[in-house]
Amino acid sequence: MVLTLPSDLTALIASFSAYRAFHHYADGPNPPLARLTAVIKATSTFHSTITTILAIYFLRRCRKQWAEVGTRETVGNPKEPAVVSWNGWSYPDDSTNPLLQSRSPLGNAITAIECGYLLQDTISLLREARLRLRLVQPGRRSTLRSLLEHADKTLLFHHVGIALALLVLHYYIHQDRERGIYIIVQFLLMNGSTPFLNLRWWLRTYHPSSTTLCFLSDLVFIAAFYMARCLGSLFREDEITLPDGDRSALDRKHSLVAPVGKECLQ
């Protein structure tokens, strides 16, 4: 009997294993704190660059496939988009919204790669905290409380929170109940600012006297941070079309409600 794993689970395991193997090789058996931190930053830069490229590729391909806005065939107004009403208010019918209902094996795999990285990097962050604990308090035991005291708590909780959310997503994927993969991958565009954040850290750590370079890296990071957070707007309404060029429905905020029968990027 041959055991076959779903493609997204395979991607998650492969991502975790590959990053874990790289750290095992790059860190060495007893790495100094500075070396481990540098490897963590280098891995972060590589991963964020790859996932940003994959996310842009995925979103641009899927945007063209999901751009047409569906309509509800009614006698009174055949161009009226499908809506649902509740308590006197009308809303787009999300049951036919392609941005929420469409599925994509590639999108699932991209989120799996992200999840595998976050799980592995959480281990590295705890290992970094243990090395820092040994330097500051050599005789103290490595308990969870002591590790949290010496860990980068903001980054650690950020990783744990998103990793848990992605694990919940993949639980639903295995039940064929996932929703909103386009929106979720869109959030991964935020990784685009991470290489510039790490460049800023590298300059301030190893070249603190280069004040001009440090200042320029701050400006570049601010610009990259803004673009990475706002880039998703490029994948929304700019290519949405309505039958016969009628865009009045968009003015009523009844957009992006098309039934989709195909999966994006099998």
Side-chain angles (χ1 to χ4, degrees):
M1 179 178 179
V2 179
L3 176 64
T4 59
L5 296 176
S7 59
D8 60 291
L9 183 57
T10 301
L12 195 158
I13 295 174
S15 173
F16 177 86
S17 301
Y19 285 123
R20 187 70 238 143
F22 172 76
H23 266 275
H24 181 76
Y25 172 79
D27 296 345
N30 295 297
L33 177 60
R35 179 182 178 88
L36 178 58
T37 302
V39 174
I40 290 174
K41 298 296 184 182
T43 308
S44 169
T45 301
F46 171 80
H47 170 78
S48 59
T49 301
I50 293 299
T51 52
T52 300
I53 293 172
L54 288 174
I56 292 174
Y57 170 77
F58 169 81
L59 293 171
R60 290 191 63 85
R61 289 290 299 273
C62 289
R63 178 178 61 172
K64 296 178 181 179
Q65 181 171 334
W66 297 343
E68 292 186 359
V69 177
T71 62
R72 180 181 58 191
E73 295 297 331
T74 61
V75 176
N77 186 357
K79 295 180 181 179
E80 179 70 18
V83 297
V84 292
S85 299
W86 178 80
N87 199 24
W89 294 85
S90 296
Y91 302 93
D93 184 2
D94 286 337
S95 66
T96 58
N97 187 335
L99 296 184
L100 298 180
Q101 303 298 329
S102 296
R103 296 174 175 176
S104 169
L106 177 59
N108 295 345
I110 293 173
T111 61
I113 293 171
E114 177 75 6
C115 186
Y117 162 77
L118 291 173
L119 291 173
Q120 191 289 134
D121 204 50
T122 298
I123 296 174
S124 295
L125 291 175
L126 291 174
R127 191 181 183 196
E128 181 187 39
R130 185 175 63 180
L131 290 179
R132 191 174 290 116
L133 172 64
R134 290 177 178 176
L135 289 176
V136 178
Q137 298 174 299
R140 189 175 178 183
R141 291 182 56 190
S142 296
T143 62
L144 179 60
R145 180 176 180 179
S146 64
L147 291 178
L148 289 178
E149 289 177 3
H150 294 84
D152 184 343
K153 286 184 280 292
T154 301
L155 188 58
L156 183 64
F157 290 136
H158 167 272
H159 279 22
V160 171
I162 297 180
L164 289 176
L166 291 176
L167 287 174
V168 171
L169 168 66
H170 285 275
Y171 170 78
Y172 281 97
I173 288 173
H174 290 307
Q175 294 187 334
D176 292 327
R177 295 167 56 198
E178 77 273 16
R179 297 291 185 271
I181 194 65
Y182 184 96
I183 303 299
I184 295 170
V185 173
Q186 194 174 79
F187 276 111
L188 297 185
L189 291 174
M190 295 182 181
N191 284 332
S193 63
T194 302
F196 302 98
L197 174 64
N198 291 336
L199 173 63
R200 181 174 176 269
W201 168 85
W202 184 79
L203 288 172
R204 291 180 177 275
T205 301
Y206 295 103
H207 301 279
S209 59
S210 302
T211 55
T212 301
L213 287 177
C214 290
F215 176 71
L216 289 176
S217 70
D218 291 343
L219 296 180
V220 172
F221 171 66
I222 292 173
F225 186 90
Y226 174 79
M227 289 299 297
R229 268 60 183 175
C230 298
L231 193 60
S233 62
L234 299 178
F235 300 96
R236 293 184 183 129
E237 293 187 359
D238 55 326
E239 291 189 4
I240 297 172
T241 59
L242 286 170
D244 302 325
D246 178 15
R247 297 185 61 84
S248 60
L250 290 181
D251 297 332
R252 295 191 299 272
K253 298 181 181 180
H254 292 160
S255 62
L256 297 175
V257 285
V260 174
K262 296 181 180 180
E263 293 182 343
C264 178
L265 299 178
Q266 292 290 340

